[in-house]
Amino acid sequence: MTDGRITTAKLGDDGPEVGVQGLGCMGMNFGYGPSDADASRATLERALELGVTLYDTADAYGAGENERFLSPFFKAHRDELVIATKFALSIPPDDPTRRVIRNDPPYIREAVEASLKRLDVDVIDLYYMHRRDVNVPIEESVGTMAELVREGKVKHLGLSEVTADELRAAHAVHPIAAVQSEWSLFSRDIETNVVPAARDLGVTLVAYSPLGRGFLTGSFASAEDLSSGDFRRHQPRFTGDNAAANGALLEPIRAIAEAQGVSVGQVALAWAHQQASVHALPVVPIPGTRKPSRVEENTAATRIVLTEEELALLDPIAAKVAGNRYADMAFTSAGRE
């Protein structure tokens, strides 16, 4: 591909065609410490030039500020891209540092109206349930989401961090276009149940944090290297002895990167993309970045092919990772499988 544009993949059986790599937008003004708004805007534009058309945000990112930040870009390119946002992490008025999971129908309706207003659009292309509230039947929540589709407020439905059984139950109520879960060389728990279920149902797997929240690029060695406002400082994998043990796991990735003449991060992303053929289902990784040069590097990884020998060298890594991906795994699919 001489123009550098990436290929495409379909979201579900009836969803839109999108670039085979999306862009996670959370870090543009939330979660990863200080950011440069101009650089983030340039990153959005460069991504679109390279064929990235799926842009991922959520109402919980900066209490809606991430959606507001992205709105001008979305409006300027409305017919060229797919807007994905999420609901479920409610912020209590008396404690803005907390998040309460809500999947009840009144809250879903409140959340979608708020997101539509912040994004300043008439319809959301892909609307995710961000996290699962086990106290509300998933059929009830997805039933309300389906009503939003019929009302023209949402085009397609997605779920994040659900189990295989939850995905099947939801899909029986209304077609699910995409299931979003963490999937990387460090996080492979979804391969046991969720990935096969998605394949059977014709649901696309949207892989978030395919670069292990940056750790798989070698850009930081431990939480101590990160700014005080970076939420990764509180994730078990990046602290203390865990960080040191996990850093040693990058060696085979570095060896492959050197042999191929690419970056460590590109090897990790190439592995994520190659899972589409390994598991026979559409996979759209959504690495996050706020630098145009990183978007160029990341999208170039879609054209890297790892050999069977290289895949075999990478295969044992996940089983050796020290520490969970979250301090509380109860809100992940792995915590409920």
Side-chain angles (χ1 to χ4, degrees):
M1 300 180 67
T2 56
D3 64 356
R5 288 179 64 85
I6 60 177
T7 58
T8 61
K10 196 173 177 62
L11 296 180
D13 289 336
D14 302 314
E17 199 87 11
V18 297
V20 75
Q21 186 176 115
L23 183 63
C25 298
M26 181 184 79
M28 296 206 161
N29 65 347
F30 172 74
Y32 289 100
S35 61
D36 182 320
D38 289 339
S40 292
R41 293 187 190 97
T43 300
L44 293 167
E45 296 287 352
R46 184 61 179 137
L48 190 60
E49 291 172 354
L50 292 168
V52 174
T53 56
L54 178 62
Y55 292 80
D56 185 271
T57 181
D59 60 3
Y61 300 162
E65 286 305 312
N66 198 247
E67 290 179 325
R68 291 189 185 94
F69 174 80
L70 295 167
S71 176
F73 171 73
F74 289 162
K75 290 185 68 178
H77 301 284
R78 189 64 189 93
D79 296 334
E80 304 171 69
L81 49 77
V82 171
I83 299 172
T85 193
K86 315 178 195 73
F87 74 89
L89 299 181
S90 173
I91 303 173
D94 59 341
D95 187 357
T97 64
R98 287 183 62 221
R99 297 292 185 272
V100 177
I101 299 178
R102 289 186 61 182
N103 292 172
D104 56 285
Y107 180 74
I108 294 172
R109 289 194 164 276
E110 175 187 326
V112 75
E113 295 297 342
S115 284
L116 286 166
K117 183 176 181 180
R118 285 188 294 264
L119 292 165
D120 196 15
V121 296
D122 296 326
V123 61
I124 294 166
D125 300 314
L126 178 59
Y127 200 42
Y128 284 104
M129 177 192 294
H130 202 164
R131 290 292 185 271
R132 171 89 172 96
D133 178 359
V134 296
N135 297 308
V136 180
I138 197 163
E139 295 86 352
E140 184 177 332
S141 303
V142 176
T144 301
M145 295 168 72
E147 291 174 4
L148 301 180
V149 175
R150 291 192 288 271
E151 293 164 12
K153 295 176 180 179
V154 170
K155 290 184 180 179
H156 305 283
L157 303 185
L159 303 171
S160 180
E161 289 290 355
V162 293
T163 67
D165 287 346
E166 289 164 350
L167 176 58
R168 290 190 183 95
H171 196 74
V173 175
H174 188 278
I176 302 299
V179 60
Q180 185 177 129
S181 291
E182 185 166 352
W183 199 8
S184 73
L185 282 168
F186 269 22
S187 301
R188 298 180 59 182
D189 49 78
I190 64 169
E191 293 175 25
T192 303
N193 297 310
V194 177
V195 169
R199 180 181 59 239
D200 293 346
L201 296 170
V203 177
T204 297
L205 204 301
V206 174
Y208 76 81
S209 298
L211 291 171
R213 302 194 184 280
F215 196 85
L216 287 167
T217 68
S219 59
F220 70 98
S222 78
E224 296 178 358
D225 300 334
L226 304 170
S227 66
S228 59
D230 195 312
F231 87 106
R232 292 173 293 181
R233 290 178 66 92
H234 307 291
Q235 292 190 295
R237 288 183 174 173
F238 309 139
T239 59
D241 293 341
N242 287 349
N246 293 335
L249 299 178
L250 300 183
E251 289 312 309
I253 310 175
R254 289 195 175 96
I256 294 170
E258 185 175 350
Q260 289 235 19
V262 299
S263 72
V264 175
Q266 285 178 314
V267 172
L269 275 178
W271 178 90
H273 281 286
Q274 218 152 322
Q275 299 314 296
S277 58
V278 171
H279 294 278
L281 84 167
V283 177
V284 180
I286 51 168
T289 185
R290 45 201 183 191
K291 295 180 180 179
S293 61
R294 290 297 187 197
V295 166
E296 294 166 1
E297 177 181 333
N298 291 347
T299 53
T302 66
R303 296 182 284 278
I304 297 171
V305 177
L306 302 175
T307 67
E308 290 298 323
E309 292 76 15
E310 288 169 335
L311 289 172
L313 191 63
L314 298 172
D315 193 61
I317 291 175
K320 300 176 183 178
V321 173
N324 287 325
R325 49 193 177 98
Y326 290 105
D328 184 353
M329 289 289 286
F331 306 116
T332 69
S333 60
R336 298 191 305 280
E337 287 281 11

